[in-house]
Amino acid sequence: MHFADFLAGSVGGACGVAVGYPLDTVKVRIQTQKQFTGIWQCIVMTVRKEGVHGFFKGMALPVTTISLTSSVVFGTYRNCLQCLAQLRGIGAHNSKLDIFLSGLAGGVAQISVMSPGDLVKVRLQCQTESKRGGMNHGKPRYRGPIHCLLSIAKHEGVSGLYRGAVPLALRDGPSFATYILTYNTLCSRLTPAGQKEPEWSVVLLSGGVAGMAGWSVGTPMDVIKARLQLDGVRQDRRYRGLVHCVTETLRNEGPGVFFRSLGINCLRAFPVNMVVFAVYEVSVRVLRSPSLDQLS
């Protein structure tokens, strides 16, 4: 994997997390807690009860681990593309299927390092108690990301850190494949023949649409993932596993529940991925500039 791709992916990913985190918190709460009935109602209740801080609970861990996650996902993606190109012969270009399969592999591979951080993020996001406590509200169960991580490992074992890893893989594999294929396809279609780099308007539009396409594919399994990650935290465990969670959710709430958060996912995905790809492209072009190549 090229160092420029890794560093650019890390910077872009961190910016994306920062931009989209408040709406991600709203999304997770709507998916898992019946007290929140809509986007605006969830925002108002969160501000009233927890303040602005409530939207950023658990953000520290995703931001600090984004470099490791990016190295795995982009490294796997680039290496798979290279291997598939070599199988086709010297000088062969990657097909759309190569891009999709490489994206699928990258999305699944990142679960190995992403799953514990994602579990901590979801648990902290759904911890609606204020740190101040009070007469009507108990104190939060977890004091922060590290305390949450250690508590899960202590009470649920190391395997507990990977609760929800299967639906996370089933979400991120197809969604990242769709995401990266959509971005590449739009950039190639909207860039005039003979032009080496896409215009910035093309990068922004392609990134935003790619994010929405990825979440359109990943939202149903995202709902199941969040429910399994929170199962048993506040009350007795309800689900025996992935299939049982899917069937129980479908039986009790109907198929519409799998797309309950699709609107907010798309609302969040467009600006977030505009930022991610804009920062990524800027970073890559700077890091691959001739002046830096001469220094290396």
Side-chain angles (χ1 to χ4, degrees):
M1 180 188 179
H2 298 291
F3 175 73
D5 292 311
F6 163 61
L7 186 58
S10 300
V11 175
C15 291
V17 170
V19 170
Y21 203 85
L23 283 180
D24 185 67
T25 298
V26 174
K27 178 261 299 185
V28 171
R29 292 185 174 190
I30 290 174
Q31 286 178 338
T32 58
Q33 300 183 47
K34 293 182 178 179
Q35 61 175 307
F36 301 114
T37 58
I39 298 173
W40 182 247
Q41 183 258 1
C42 180
I43 291 173
V44 171
M45 284 191 65
T46 300
V47 171
R48 185 179 299 165
K49 187 176 179 181
E50 305 163 65
V52 176
H53 165 75
F55 295 106
F56 295 92
K57 288 182 175 178
M59 191 178 80
L61 203 56
V63 169
T64 54
T65 58
I66 192 68
S67 294
L68 183 59
T69 303
S70 295
S71 68
V72 173
V73 66
F74 284 103
T76 303
Y77 170 69
R78 290 292 183 186
N79 287 328
C80 285
L81 272 183
Q82 187 175 14
C83 289
L84 291 172
Q86 289 174 351
L87 289 174
R88 292 180 180 276
I90 299 175
H93 293 286
N94 287 115
S95 66
K96 294 291 189 289
L97 180 60
D98 292 344
I99 295 172
F100 184 86
L101 292 176
S102 300
L104 183 71
V108 173
Q110 69 175 336
I111 306 309
S112 59
V113 295
M114 179 184 178
S115 187
D118 186 74
L119 175 64
V120 170
K121 175 186 79 72
V122 169
R123 294 249 179 127
L124 290 175
Q125 284 177 321
C126 291
Q127 186 170 261
T128 57
E129 298 87 357
S130 171
K131 286 186 176 182
R132 295 185 297 270
M135 296 292 291
N136 299 322
H137 307 289
K139 290 187 176 181
R141 179 174 183 175
Y142 305 116
R143 296 193 295 270
I146 302 300
H147 180 251
C148 180
L149 192 71
L150 295 176
S151 295
I152 294 171
K154 179 180 179 181
H155 296 106
E156 303 175 44
V158 176
S159 61
L161 294 172
Y162 288 87
R163 186 190 292 188
V166 173
L168 184 60
L170 293 175
R171 182 198 76 175
D172 282 0
S175 64
F176 189 77
T178 304
Y179 173 69
I180 203 73
L181 177 61
T182 302
Y183 179 75
N184 277 276
T185 301
L186 287 174
C187 280
S188 62
R189 291 283 179 87
L190 297 175
T191 301
Q195 184 173 315
K196 191 174 181 181
E197 302 285 356
E199 299 287 346
W200 288 112
S201 58
V202 172
V203 170
L204 295 173
L205 177 63
S206 301
V209 173
M212 294 175 68
W215 275 110
S216 296
V217 173
T219 292
M221 199 51 63
D222 188 52
V223 174
I224 298 302
K225 173 198 72 75
R227 294 191 174 201
L228 285 173
Q229 287 174 327
L230 285 173
D231 190 32
V233 175
R234 294 178 177 271
Q235 53 190 356
D236 294 337
R237 188 168 294 184
R238 296 175 55 191
Y239 308 117
R240 296 192 295 270
L242 172 63
V243 175
H244 184 246
C245 181
V246 172
T247 54
E248 283 294 295
T249 300
L250 183 62
R251 183 172 65 86
N252 294 323
E253 301 176 63
V257 70
F258 295 113
F259 296 94
R260 179 183 293 171
S261 57
L262 178 59
I264 191 170
N265 274 339
C266 290
L267 179 66
R268 179 176 65 94
F270 196 89
V272 165
N273 289 284
M274 283 174 61
V275 170
V276 168
F277 276 109
V279 173
Y280 174 81
E281 293 289 350
V282 168
S283 301
V284 164
R285 294 179 192 186
V286 169
L287 292 169
R288 290 180 178 171
S289 63
S291 58
L292 286 180
D293 289 339
Q294 292 172 2
L295 293 174
S296 58

